[in-house]
Amino acid sequence: MEIPVEIGVVYEGERIRKGEMHVELGGPKVKAKGELVRARKMDEIKDGKIEVKGPDLSEMEEGSRHSFGIFVEVAGKQVEEDLEAVIERRIHDYCNYVEGFMHLNQRYDIWCRLSKKSYGKGFNTLRYLGDALITLFKAELPIIEKIQVTFITDEKRVEDFVRNARKIYEARDARARALSEEDVKEFYGCVLCQSFAPTHVCVITPDRISLCGSINWFDGRAAARVDPKGPNFAIPKGELIDETNGEYSGVNEVVRERSLGENERFYLHSMFSSPHTSCGCFESIAFYIPEVAGIGIVHRDYSGDTVMGVPFSTLATQTGGGKQIEGFLGMAIEYMRSPKFLQADGGWNRIVWLPKSVKERVKDAVPGELYDKIATEDDATDIVALKEFLREKGHPVVERWVEAPPEAIEAPELEVMPAGAAGGIKIILKNAKIHAEKVIIKRVK
Amino acid sequence: MKGAGFKIDELESDLIKIKGLEVTVGKFYEEWEEVMGPTPMPSVTDLRGWDFTLLNRYKPMYAPFCDLCCLCTYGKCDLSGGKKGACGIDIGAQQGRIVLLACCIGAAAHGGHARHMVDHLIKKYGADTPIDMGKNVEVEAPLIRLIAGIKPKRLGDLLEPLEYAEKELMHSLSATHTGQEGYYTDFESKALHVSMVDQLLMEIADVAQISALGFSKGDPDSPLVDIGFGSIDTKKPIILCIGHNVVPGAAVIDYLQDHDMYDDVEVAGICCTAHDLTRYDKGAKIVGPLSKQLKFVRTGIADVIIVDEQCVRTDILSEARKNDTAVIATNDKICLGLPDRTEDSPEDVIDDLVKGAPGALILDAEKVGEVAVRIAIKLSGKRKRRALDVVKEAKKCTQCGLCVRECHNNLDIPKGMEKAAKGDLSLLSEIYALCMGCGRCENVCSKEIPIVSLLGEAAKERIRKERYKVRSGRGPIQDTEIRSVGSPIVMGEIPGVVAFVGCPNYPSSSKELVEMAEIFLQRRYIVTASGCAAMDLAMYKDEEGKTLYEKYPGNFDAGCLSNVGSCVSNAHIAGAAIKIASIFAHRNLRGNYEEIADYILNRVGAVGVAWGAMSQKAASIATGFNRLGIPVIIGPRGAKYRRTYLGRADKSEDWMVYNARDGSRTQVSPSPGYLLYVAESKEEAIVSIAKNCIRPNDTTKGRQIKLAHYIDLHKRYFGAVPEDLAIYIRTEADIPITLKAEIMDILKAKKWKPKTIPDPTLLERLCRKKGDRA
Amino acid sequence: MTIPWFSANIPGPKQAKVVTPSMAAKIMGKAKRKMMICGSKIDGKIQKHIVDLSKEMSVVVAPSTLKNFSGAGFELVAKGVVEVTNLLRDETWKGFDGKGNYDLVAYLGFPYYLESQMLSVLKHFAKVKTLSIGRFYQPNADYSFDNLREDEWEKGLEDLVSLLVGRK
Ligand code: SF4
Ligand code: SF4
Ligand code: SF4
Ligand SMILES: [Zn+2]
C-alpha cells in the first residue's frame, strides 16, 4: 500500500487551519472521540489488519466533522498492560508525522484534521493512516510483534468505544497511582542528559518521575525494553538499605557506574546527605532554609523573588552538572504528588514556601491541614516574614525550632588573618618592594 | 575597591626584620566563590594551543583578494607564484595577516564603541550603577566571566575587562606590522584571539547600556515596533540617526520627552543605532538596515541626520547636501571635516545650520539632543527637495552598460532605463528591491544619471508599502529559557539553534533570508537574530500581511524568533551557548575559555548565518564565534573575506576525539563540518545549516531529529538523499524511524558498522581515567 | 590587456591568458585529468553543454542544481564549490574517482566574484591549471574567456563543446 503523502518527523510542527482542512475528526465540536491502545495475547489479533468502522474519508463531505475513535491492539512477548499508556501516547506523534494530518491532545479529547492538499494527493482512506501507524510502531517499538488498527467514525460506535475506553483509562490511572517502589523489581535510569551533563543520572521509580518531568516509570520501562542498551535502562533495585531515605543497593551501584565514580550513593527521597543529582532541566528546585529549618520550592516559570530574596535562576545555579549538593534538589513538579515526596526530610510537613501557582497546581497532593500553613509570595517575601507566618499558622516545622533553635548564619565580616605559624623563623627583608597586582579577599571559614 | 599600600622603613622584632619595605596593592577583589580557571584575561598566546587544535581540524583555505602587498615602502610586493615580499612574507601568511587586520578593525570598532559607552554612562549615572540583566538572568555577563574571570557588579567593574581588551587589541594589531608575525597559523591564532576579545567588548557595551539605559532585560515579549520607510510619518519633522551608538539618539528622545514634544517629531534610525533607539523607547522607528542608508538619505525625507559611529556612509555630508538635510556628527570616529561646535551655544549652532551650514560636530550628547530637535523643527517643510523627472533622466541613458558591470548584483539597469524612457517604471522599481544601495553604478555612469535616486523615485509606491513590525531587541537570553529547552533538545524535539546575524550584503534579495529563517522556524529550531539581519527578517509579509515577528513568539525556544538587538547584542548569542555549559554541566566559567569552547564545539548544536556579511566587524564576530566552537555560514560574498575554515569529512583522522569517560580515542561524525563556510546559494546554506547542527554528543533521539531534517531538506532542495548520510549514523537508534527501511538499505550497501557515542572532548586533560575515583 | 569584468578586480601582474573557444578546446583536449565545476547559475541552455562535456571529463555541479540534472544519464558529483576547491589544493587527494588529483579544472556558472575567489585559491595554493569559460574575463584563472556578449558566449560554448566532443 503506497501512501500518497510523505511521512516524516519534519511534519510534526505542521498546523492545519480551518480553511485548509478537508475534514475534522474528533475535536471540540463532536461529542464522541477517543483513542486507546490495548495489549493482547499473540493469538488474539491479526498482524497488519486495518479496519474502518463507519464512513471512510472518501465518504465524508468536505468541511465536515465526525466522531472518531482510534483503537490500536498490540501483542508481543514483551508487551504488557503496563506499557499501554506509553504506546498510546505515540499515536499522537505518529499521526503528526503524516503530511497533512494533524493530531492534538490525547485519550477522550483527540482532535484531528486532514488537509485538503493531502486529500487531493489521494489520501482518501484511513487505511493509509493505519498503515503509517503500523509501520511506525513497528519501526520504533520492535517489542510490538503484532499490531492491528481499527478506526471508528460511526457516531454510535464511537460512543460505545469511548465509554469502554474511559473505564480503562481510569483503571490505568488508579494502577499508576497505587504503584510504588515496593511493588516493582526494577527502577529505570535515564542518561539522556549526559550529552550535556556527563555525570548526571536520573533514577526513575514509581514514586519518582524524572526531574525534567518527561519520563515516568512506565516510560522508562517501555524505553528500556525497546533498547536495553539505550539511554533508558533497567536498574535492578537490589536491597533496600534505608527505607526512609529511599536508598537501594542497586541504585547505588548503577549511580556509581554511570556517574563514572563521581557519585556513590543516592537517597531517592531526601535532599540531604546524598541527594539525587541534577542536570539543568529540572522543573523546580527545593532549597533548604536554615533559618526556619524548612524547605522552600520554586519552579522555573516563577520569575519573582523567592523568600530567599533571589529568584529561581539564582537558586538553580546552586545545583546541576551531576553534582550532589546538599540542601538543593532539582525535581519535577509531579514529584510533589509522590507519596514518598521528600519523606526522609519530613515530606510536606517540611515545606514552608511555594509560589502560589504551583501550590494551586499540586493542591490535591498537599495534606489538607497543611495547605494554609505553607507560605506563598503573598504571605512572605523574606525570612523574617516567613518566620512570623509559620509561627502564626503553627506550621509543623515550628516544633523543630524548639529542638534546635535555628540561627541565621551571619556572613562573617572580612577578617584579617593574623600572620601566625611563622614561629622560630626569622625573615629579613631589606629594601623590599612588594606589589600585588590584585589581592583577593577571601572569607575565612 | 581601589588600590592601597603601605611602607615600613625599619622594623625589627624577634621574628622579623624589615628595612625599607613597601607593599602596594593594585586592586582588591571581593571573593567570588567560583574557582579561577587556567586563563583569566588570556594573553595573545595563552589559548594558542586551543587555536591550533581548531586549525588542525578546520584548516584555513585562503582566497587572496589581491596578489600584492602595499603595506610598506619596500612594496608593492608581488606575492604570486610563490614569491615572497621584501620582508619575507609569503602569500599564505599575508592572507592570515589581512584577516587578522580585519578582525582587529572589527574589534576596535566595538571596542571604541564600548569605551565610549562605558565612560559616558559612568559619567552620567555613576560607576556604582548596578549591572542588572533582570531576574531570570543569573549569569549576567557570561563572556566577561569566561574571558576576564570577573563577575561585574557595577558599571565601574567593566573598566578592567575593557582595559584588558584594549591591551590585547594593541598586541594583536601590532603583529601585523612589517617584520612581525610570519606564519599563517599564528596570524590565525591572533585573529581568533582578537575576535574573542571582540566578543568581550560587545558584551561590555551591551551590558552597560542595558543596565544604565533601561533596555529590555531579556524580555521575550519586548514590544513590536515599526520598521520600514512607510512607517515614517513624513508630515512631522524627522530626525534620522545612523550608526551604532545610541547615546546621541537617546539624548534626542530625552529632550523631546522633557519638552513634551515626542509626539510632534519623528525619531528614526538606520542600522544598529535604530535597534537601540527602540530598545530605549519603543516609539522610535527603524527605517531599516544599512542597505537602506543611501536610498533613504536620497529621498530627502530627513530634516536632520545624526551620525554616530560605524557603517555610516562616508559621503553622508555631500549626500545630505543634495536635499539640504543638516548633518550632526557626534563621535570622534566620524568628524567629517566639520567645525567642532561642542562649546558653542545651541542658538549659534542652530542659526548657522538653518542658514545653510552643512553640518556641525558636537561631542556632547545632550547638546546634540537639543540642537537636533530645534533644527529639525525649523527645517521641516522648508528645505528645497529636488524634484526628479525619471523619464527625462532615463532618456539620457546610452545603454553603455558600465553600470551593470559595476553593480554588485549585476542588476540590469540599462534595461530598466530603456523601459523607463518609454514611461514604464516597473523594471526600475523591481531593481530597487534588489539594490544594495552601494551607489557604485552612479560613479561610473557615463551620463551622470543619479541612478539610485531614480530607482527610489520609480519605486515610490513600493516604498510607501514598506511598513512592517520587528520585535525590539530583547537583550540577553534568560537562564530559565535555556533550562527549559534542555530536555526537548535531548529528547529529540528541538533540532538546533540557528542565529541570523550580520550585514545586508546579500547575493540577491533579502527575501532569501526570510525564507531561510522561516524554514527553520516551521521546523521548530530555535531561531535568533541580531543587527541588520534581524531587521531584514521583519521586512517581508506573508499573504495574511504578517511578518515573521508577528507569527513567531520572541522566546528562545523551539519555533520562536528572538531578536537579541544590535551588533553588540551578538554577545548574548555567544552568551547563551556559554550558559549551557554552566547550567547543565555546572562547568566553571571563570577564566575557563578553552574548556567551555571545547564543550560548545562538541555539544551545542548552534549555527550562525551571516548571509550578507560585509564589514570587518562581521569578520571578527564570525571569527569570535569560531574560537568558541560555533560554526558560521556566510553568503557567497563572504568569499571576499579571503579565508574559510573547512574540515575534511573524507579524512577520518581529523575527527578523532577523546572519550572523556575513559580517555580513549574515538572517531566521531564530522560535525560541525566547518567553522566558516561560504555557501553559494540559499539552498546550499539551508542544507548546510541543518547538517552543521549535528554534534558528537547528540543523544540518539537528538541525532534522529537532526538527521530527519538534514535528509528532508537535502531531498527537497537537492532532490536526493545525502551521499554522506552513513557517516552521521552511529547506531541504529540514530536513524529517523520514518526512514528506517530506506536507510538500512543504504547502510548495508556502505558496509556500515555501529560506533560508540563518546563523551567527546578535544582536550586530553578533561578525561577522567576509568575507575580512578571509584 | 583585458580588463576584468568588475573593473577593480585586478589581482596583480599575473593575470589569466585570454583564450578563444578553440584554444580552450585544445587546452582541455591536452589535459589528462580534467574536471568541470559548475555553479548555481546554470540554466537549461548551458546544461545541455555540460551533459555533453561530461562524456569528456568529470563534472561537479552545485548541489542546488542537482535536481535539474536528474535523468541526464551520467554520474555526477554534487558539492559546494568551496569544498571542491578545498579538495583540489590537496595534492594527495585522490579525486572523486579515486584516480588522483586533477590537472585541469574548468569553472562555469558562478557569481563572478565567487568564481574569482575560488580561482584565486587555486592560483596560489594548488598545482592544477584553471580555465574559466564563463561570460566574463576572470583574471585569477590561468586561462579565461574574454568578456563576451551573451550571444558571443553562447556560440563560444557551442564551439568549445563541438570541438571537444566532436573530435572523438
Ligand atoms: S610589508 Fe612586506 S610584503 Fe608588504 S610591501 Fe612591505 S615588504 Fe612587501
Ligand atoms: S546602487 Fe544598487 S544598482 Fe547601483 S551598483 Fe549598487 S547595488 Fe547595483
Ligand atoms: S552607465 Fe548610465 S548611461 Fe550607461 S547604461 Fe548605465 S545608466 Fe545608462
Ligand atoms: Zn536534563
Side-chain angles (χ1 to χ4, degrees):
Chain A
M1 193 169 191
E2 185 74 18
I3 302 174
V5 297
E6 283 189 57
I7 315 282
V9 282
V10 298
Y11 295 104
E12 231 189 327
E14 196 186 25
R15 287 281 164 271
I16 296 163
R17 278 173 291 213
K18 216 158 107 198
E20 304 159 7
M21 90 184 192
H22 179 69
V23 287
E24 184 167 284
L25 305 167
K29 303 229 165 97
V30 303
K31 256 214 307 263
K33 64 256 176 181
E35 67 193 10
L36 184 68
V37 166
R38 295 299 330 244
R40 299 296 194 209
K41 297 227 174 62
M42 286 293 272
D43 51 5
E44 282 176 353
I45 57 171
K46 186 163 174 279
D47 190 29
K49 185 172 154 196
I50 304 167
E51 254 189 293
V52 182
K53 295 185 173 166
D56 202 342
L57 297 173
S58 56
E59 294 149 312
M60 295 175 181
E61 225 173 279
E62 187 176 311
S64 60
R65 300 192 166 84
H66 301 267
S67 298
F68 193 42
I70 306 176
F71 185 36
V72 176
E73 292 161 280
V74 292
K77 268 189 286 309
Q78 301 222 55
V79 173
E80 57 184 24
E81 216 174 295
D82 271 348
L83 301 184
E84 285 176 355
V86 178
I87 299 174
E88 194 173 290
R89 255 180 291 141
R90 295 283 210 280
I91 295 177
H92 167 81
D93 298 335
Y94 297 163
C95 285
N96 281 323
Y97 293 171
V98 176
E99 180 188 1
F101 196 89
M102 177 184 93
H103 180 290
L104 300 174
N105 310 335
Q106 50 168 338
R107 290 192 167 179
Y108 47 77
D109 212 18
I110 60 168
W111 181 359
C112 305
R113 276 176 178 176
L114 174 70
S115 75
K116 282 182 189 157
K117 219 163 139 202
S118 285
Y119 186 79
K121 283 189 188 167
F123 198 94
N124 54 13
T125 166
L126 287 164
R127 290 174 179 279
Y128 289 131
L129 183 62
D131 207 45
L133 288 178
I134 289 173
T135 315
L136 292 170
F137 267 119
K138 285 196 159 174
E140 194 174 18
L141 305 172
I143 53 169
I144 296 176
E145 292 164 50
K146 282 186 175 180
I147 174 167
Q148 88 182 23
V149 180
T150 311
F151 297 102
I152 315 159
T153 56
D154 175 80
E155 186 171 345
K156 184 79 200 31
R157 287 172 130 172
V158 178
E159 274 172 19
D160 293 344
F161 167 70
V162 175
R163 200 172 308 118
N164 177 46
R166 276 183 190 265
K167 279 187 214 138
I168 293 161
Y169 303 144
E170 269 159 37
R172 223 189 249 166
D173 290 349
R175 156 127 175 105
R177 271 195 304 270
L179 195 72
S180 76
E181 286 168 8
E182 292 79 42
D183 305 329
V184 301
K185 289 200 200 71
E186 282 179 356
F187 299 156
Y188 298 97
C190 177
V191 291
L192 275 170
C193 282
Q194 286 201 347
S195 65
F196 290 96
T199 59
H200 167 69
V201 193
C202 256
V203 178
I204 300 157
T205 79
D207 292 308
R208 194 178 200 293
I209 190 171
S210 68
L211 56 79
C212 57
S214 336
I215 301 178
N216 66 23
W217 185 82
F218 297 99
D219 298 314
R221 186 170 176 82
R225 293 215 162 169
V226 170
D227 180 9
K229 292 204 190 88
N232 294 130
F233 48 89
I235 303 179
K237 149 171 116 158
E239 257 166 70
L240 177 62
I241 300 172
D242 180 333
E243 188 175 344
T244 340
N245 281 322
E247 186 184 2
Y248 295 86
S249 64
V251 170
N252 286 349
E253 221 165 279
V254 167
V255 163
R256 194 173 306 139
E257 188 197 320
R258 293 289 183 144
S259 73
L260 304 166
E262 191 75 21
N263 301 309
E264 313 230 322
R265 72 203 298 199
F266 263 17
Y267 290 168
L268 296 179
H269 304 295
S270 170
M271 62 191 283
F272 300 106
S273 183
S274 297
H276 192 284
T277 58
S278 332
C279 44
C281 318
F282 44 86
E283 288 184 301
S284 64
I285 184 168
F287 51 95
Y288 182 59
I289 312 171
E291 293 88 340
V292 298
I295 295 167
I297 295 173
V298 60
H299 63 305
R300 204 161 55 203
D301 299 332
Y302 179 71
S303 58
D305 276 343
T306 62
V307 70
M308 306 297 279
V310 292
F312 170 86
S313 54
T314 307
L315 289 166
T317 60
Q318 297 298 322
T319 183
K323 297 199 171 75
Q324 288 186 310
I325 310 290
E326 267 200 90
F328 292 97
L329 183 74
M331 60 185 206
I333 289 175
E334 188 59 31
Y335 177 54
M336 291 185 229
R337 291 212 172 80
S338 164
K340 292 193 166 46
F341 167 58
L342 291 180
Q343 65 178 19
D345 311 331
W348 280 103
N349 282 328
R350 201 77 185 275
I351 306 303
V352 294
W353 193 92
L354 266 182
K356 201 166 48 182
S357 53
V358 179
K359 196 174 163 188
E360 266 158 33
R361 224 168 114 185
V362 297
K363 189 169 182 175
D364 52 318
V366 186
E369 75 282 4
L370 272 172
Y371 194 79
D372 291 328
K373 296 180 182 168
I374 300 173
T376 70
E377 66 272 29
D378 290 348
D379 307 311
T381 50
D382 60 44
I383 301 291
V384 178
L386 178 65
K387 245 180 176 167
E388 200 44 48
F389 177 87
L390 296 173
R391 200 189 312 269
E392 194 182 296
K393 298 279 174 182
H395 191 289
V397 286
V398 176
E399 283 164 37
R400 291 174 184 260
W401 300 358
V402 193
E403 293 162 26
E407 281 294 317
I409 304 157
E410 294 274 322
E413 289 294 326
L414 299 179
E415 252 178 74
V416 179
M417 283 283 282
I425 301 165
K426 231 181 197 181
I427 301 168
I428 301 171
L429 296 170
K430 264 192 181 168
N431 290 327
K433 250 189 190 174
I434 299 170
H435 175 76
E437 194 69 65
K438 308 165 185 171
V439 164
I440 296 171
I441 302 167
K442 286 216 171 194
R443 285 173 192 156
V444 181
K445 298 253 156 74
Chain B
M1 266 180 263
K2 272 226 220 73
F6 61 88
K7 256 186 182 172
I8 299 170
D9 289 336
E10 209 163 338
L11 181 140
E12 205 174 328
S13 75
D14 285 356
L15 225 55
I16 199 165
K17 196 169 154 193
I18 293 173
K19 238 184 179 179
L21 171 72
E22 192 180 330
V23 176
T24 58
V25 171
K27 253 177 189 170
F28 289 98
Y29 285 85
E30 209 186 321
E31 185 190 9
W32 169 23
E33 274 174 24
E34 197 165 303
V35 185
M36 185 65 91
T39 55
M41 306 207 192
S43 72
V44 172
T45 49
D46 280 350
L47 292 164
R48 188 169 176 253
W50 170 246
D51 296 336
F52 281 19
T53 304
L54 288 177
L55 294 168
N56 193 33
R57 185 194 274 180
Y58 304 101
K59 299 207 166 56
M61 177 176 97
Y62 293 122
F65 211 13
C66 176
D67 301 350
L68 312 179
C69 175
C70 46
L71 286 175
C72 84
T73 64
Y74 281 137
K76 298 178 174 179
C77 295
D78 175 9
L79 304 177
S80 67
K83 292 189 283 293
K84 292 188 282 185
C87 62
I89 204 162
D90 66 21
I91 187 83
Q94 175 68 4
Q95 300 317 297
R97 185 180 178 200
I98 299 290
V99 169
L100 170 57
L101 191 58
C103 292
C104 284
I105 296 172
H110 288 138
H113 180 185
R115 170 55 78 181
H116 269 311
M117 187 58 78
V118 171
D119 285 349
H120 171 79
L121 295 177
I122 286 181
K123 198 166 146 214
K124 189 157 176 198
Y125 300 97
D128 285 327
T129 308
I131 301 283
D132 176 9
M133 294 289 108
K135 278 264 177 277
N136 293 329
V137 179
E138 173 62 19
V139 183
E140 72 302 296
L143 285 155
I144 298 176
R145 288 186 182 200
L146 181 68
I147 299 166
I150 286 173
K151 181 172 168 176
K153 294 203 169 117
R154 356 155 272 142
L155 281 183
D157 295 341
L158 297 174
L159 289 170
E160 202 192 358
L162 193 50
E163 280 161 22
Y164 156 75
E166 287 162 347
K167 188 178 93 194
E168 294 313 301
L169 177 57
M170 181 170 67
H171 286 312
S172 303
L173 180 57
S174 79
T176 64
H177 188 274
T178 302
Q180 297 258 47
E181 192 53 78
Y183 198 63
Y184 76 98
T185 45
D186 269 308
F187 275 120
E188 290 295 347
S189 170
K190 289 176 177 69
L192 290 162
H193 182 70
V194 81
S195 302
M196 172 198 77
V197 166
D198 177 52
Q199 291 202 320
L200 180 74
L201 288 163
M202 289 192 285
E203 185 172 272
I204 291 171
D206 215 34
V207 161
Q209 57 181 1
I210 290 173
S211 296
L213 297 178
F215 290 5
S216 152
K217 301 179 196 304
D219 179 8
D221 294 320
S222 59
L224 285 165
V225 296
D226 291 323
I227 178 169
F229 277 28
S231 63
I232 311 292
D233 183 348
T234 51
K235 286 186 214 76
K236 293 181 188 172
I238 293 162
I239 299 172
L240 175 70
C241 302
I242 307 175
H244 284 74
N245 190 327
V246 76
V247 169
V252 169
I253 294 177
D254 288 346
Y255 184 87
L256 287 169
Q257 282 172 342
D258 291 348
H259 294 78
D260 245 345
M261 288 153 61
Y262 198 22
D263 286 340
D264 312 328
V265 177
E266 283 281 85
V267 181
I270 285 180
C271 222
C272 286
T273 238
H275 268 311
D276 289 348
L277 283 171
T278 71
R279 294 165 86 190
Y280 189 66
D281 187 284
K282 63 175 191 274
K285 291 183 176 162
I286 302 177
V287 172
L290 175 68
S291 52
K292 306 283 180 190
Q293 190 173 163
L294 184 59
K295 293 175 176 178
F296 189 73
V297 171
R298 281 285 176 87
T299 63
I301 292 172
D303 295 300
V304 178
I305 293 174
I306 295 176
V307 296
D308 51 80
E309 56 179 304
Q310 302 158 42
C311 303
V312 176
R313 278 198 72 94
T314 46
D315 59 355
I316 191 75
L317 205 54
S318 57
E319 285 297 339
R321 260 350 276 159
K322 292 180 180 162
N323 291 298
D324 287 347
T325 302
V327 173
I328 303 177
T330 61
N331 189 295
D332 53 17
K333 310 293 182 307
I334 302 181
C335 299
L336 299 170
L338 292 168
D340 185 350
R341 309 294 301 268
T342 313
E343 302 302 328
D344 298 354
S345 82
E347 278 67 28
D348 291 350
V349 184
I350 292 163
D351 233 36
D352 289 349
L353 286 171
V354 171
K355 277 191 200 130
L361 172 66
I362 306 178
L363 298 169
D364 170 340
E366 264 98 274
K367 196 170 276 179
V368 172
E370 178 179 352
V371 171
V373 170
R374 291 175 57 190
I375 317 169
I377 292 169
K378 289 208 166 146
L379 289 179
S380 178
K382 292 187 195 83
R383 289 173 302 116
K384 47 177 188 321
R385 304 239 298 264
R386 314 231 153 96
L388 194 63
D389 185 336
V390 180
V391 177
K392 198 174 130 208
E393 288 287 339
K395 278 184 178 149
K396 291 189 201 156
C397 171
T398 58
Q399 299 292 313
C400 70
L402 286 174
C403 50
V404 200
R405 201 159 165 169
E406 217 50 33
C407 175
H408 253 359
N409 281 347
N410 251 336
L411 297 172
D412 200 346
I413 301 160
K415 184 68 75 29
M417 293 292 176
E418 193 181 83
K419 282 195 164 176
K422 293 179 195 138
D424 173 5
L425 307 186
S426 61
L427 185 55
L428 283 186
S429 165
E430 265 167 54
I431 291 174
Y432 170 87
L434 297 171
C435 161
M436 294 293 124
C438 70
R440 225 159 44 184
C441 50
E442 280 183 9
N443 286 322
V444 295
C445 177
S446 46
K447 290 290 163 192
E448 291 179 26
I449 301 172
I451 301 173
V452 177
S453 305
L454 250 66
L455 295 176
E457 195 61 28
K460 248 186 174 157
E461 265 318 296
R462 188 189 285 272
I463 291 171
R464 240 194 292 281
K465 287 193 219 123
E466 283 187 6
R467 259 187 108 134
Y468 312 94
K469 291 282 182 193
V470 63
R471 199 172 290 286
S472 168
R474 55 170 284 175
I477 306 303
Q478 299 184 1
D479 299 11
T480 43
E481 288 176 288
I482 289 172
R483 288 181 187 279
S484 54
V485 296
S487 163
I489 286 174
V490 301
M491 301 279 172
E493 286 150 24
I494 299 179
V497 183
V498 188
F500 291 93
V501 303
C503 336
N505 189 11
Y506 307 119
S508 84
S509 158
S510 63
K511 197 180 148 193
E512 284 190 348
L513 194 75
V514 179
E515 287 168 19
M516 283 195 247
E518 186 146 32
I519 281 167
F520 291 99
L521 283 165
Q522 283 168 344
R523 287 165 186 260
R524 303 188 58 71
Y525 282 69
I526 298 170
V527 180
T528 180
S530 69
C532 283
M535 294 185 190
D536 272 318
L537 286 180
M539 302 188 75
Y540 186 73
K541 290 181 192 164
D542 67 3
E543 314 88 61
E544 286 173 34
K546 283 191 175 158
T547 66
L548 291 185
Y549 291 100
E550 290 161 292
K551 284 203 275 187
Y552 300 94
N555 306 61
F556 186 80
D557 205 341
C560 296
L561 173 60
S562 45
N563 168 20
V564 290
S566 51
C567 281
V568 288
S569 307
N570 273 309
H572 305 306
I573 299 174
I578 294 167
K579 287 203 274 195
I580 292 175
S582 86
I583 286 176
F584 291 97
H586 235 230
R587 299 280 173 105
N588 286 345
L589 297 185
R590 191 176 193 184
N592 199 18
Y593 191 90
E594 184 183 52
E595 180 177 339
I596 300 302
D598 175 67
Y599 183 97
I600 293 172
L601 177 71
N602 283 299
R603 295 174 208 267
V604 178
V607 178
V609 183
W611 194 236
M614 171 279 292
S615 65
Q616 296 87 5
K617 286 188 296 170
S620 60
I621 290 171
T623 309
F625 275 112
N626 290 164
R627 196 185 217 193
L628 198 56
I630 298 174
V632 177
I633 292 167
I634 50 183
R637 301 242 209 266
K640 296 188 237 179
Y641 277 126
R642 304 169 175 82
R643 183 265 276 132
T644 46
Y645 288 138
L646 305 174
R648 283 276 298 270
D650 58 321
K651 288 186 154 181
S652 53
E653 67 273 22
D654 285 0
W655 306 96
M656 297 301 286
V657 301
Y658 292 100
N659 183 351
R661 290 190 198 107
D662 57 11
S664 62
R665 300 277 282 167
T666 329
Q667 190 194 329
V668 292
S669 321
S671 189
Y674 327 103
L675 278 184
L676 191 68
Y677 185 75
V678 170
E680 184 186 348
S681 60
K682 79 165 186 239
E683 293 83 4
E684 200 188 328
I686 288 166
V687 177
S688 282
I689 292 167
K691 177 156 126 177
N692 280 287
C693 282
I694 294 172
R695 288 296 174 279
N697 74 315
D698 292 340
T699 61
T700 54
K701 289 172 184 218
R703 183 64 62 92
Q704 270 193 33
I705 185 124
K706 291 178 186 194
L707 286 177
H709 288 290
Y710 171 46
I711 297 166
D712 183 69
L713 290 166
H714 200 285
K715 278 186 180 167
R716 208 161 286 245
Y717 290 103
F718 302 165
V721 173
E723 276 280 322
D724 59 358
L725 184 58
I727 54 174
Y728 296 106
I729 296 173
R730 304 159 299 178
T731 77
E732 270 187 47
D734 283 348
I735 304 172
I737 54 160
T738 57
L739 302 167
K740 205 145 193 181
E742 185 182 352
I743 292 177
M744 281 313 288
D745 287 345
I746 298 176
L747 294 186
K748 238 176 252 153
K750 296 224 168 184
K751 300 209 178 72
W752 170 87
K753 280 201 196 70
K755 297 184 245 340
T756 42
I757 304 175
D759 176 14
T761 175
L762 294 175
L763 305 173
E764 195 175 6
R765 68 181 167 95
L766 295 184
C767 297
R768 42 183 86 234
K769 283 200 199 78
K770 200 168 193 175
D772 68 346
R773 313 187 54 155
Chain C
M1 199 167 86
T2 304
I3 292 172
W5 173 249
F6 278 170
S7 55
N9 193 36
I10 299 172
K14 187 170 181 262
Q15 293 191 36
K17 183 171 186 263
V18 177
V19 293
T20 61
S22 65
M23 287 158 81
K26 259 196 210 113
I27 293 164
M28 286 173 118
K30 264 197 220 139
K32 292 194 187 65
R33 294 269 302 149
K34 49 187 173 282
M35 177 162 69
M36 166 116 141
I37 305 173
C38 308
S40 62
K41 306 214 172 300
I42 299 285
D43 62 16
K45 255 190 255 169
I46 316 175
Q47 197 175 319
K48 89 172 184 267
H49 296 318
I50 296 169
V51 174
D52 285 343
L53 285 173
S54 73
K55 293 175 194 128
E56 281 294 303
M57 61 188 88
S58 317
V59 173
V60 180
V61 300
S64 60
T65 66
L66 186 59
K67 264 185 183 169
N68 312 336
F69 283 96
S70 72
F74 67 101
E75 274 286 306
L76 39 69
V77 177
K79 256 204 182 355
V81 67
V82 172
E83 232 178 313
V84 190
T85 308
N86 188 37
L87 291 170
L88 282 165
R89 69 190 179 117
D90 175 3
E91 274 176 51
T92 65
W93 178 51
K94 291 281 174 291
F96 290 115
D97 51 9
K99 291 182 187 151
N101 208 326
Y102 301 82
D103 61 358
L104 179 82
V105 286
Y107 280 74
L108 177 66
F110 290 94
Y112 182 78
Y113 53 91
L114 179 61
E115 180 177 338
S116 174
Q117 290 307 94
M118 293 303 105
L119 290 167
S120 167
V121 172
L122 300 179
K123 172 180 187 177
H124 295 283
F125 302 100
K127 287 206 170 136
V128 60
K129 292 277 176 218
T130 57
L131 166 67
S132 172
I133 50 174
R135 224 187 101 190
F136 305 120
Y137 176 62
Q138 285 285 8
N140 278 323
D142 289 299
Y143 313 100
S144 169
F145 277 5
D146 206 337
N147 293 315
L148 300 171
R149 280 199 323 267
E150 186 127 18
D151 55 334
E152 289 172 342
W153 176 56
E154 274 164 19
K155 179 160 184 311
L157 277 182
E158 290 270 6
D159 294 351
L160 171 70
V161 173
S162 54
L163 280 170
L164 256 183
V165 181
R167 218 167 41 166
K168 271 214 164 159

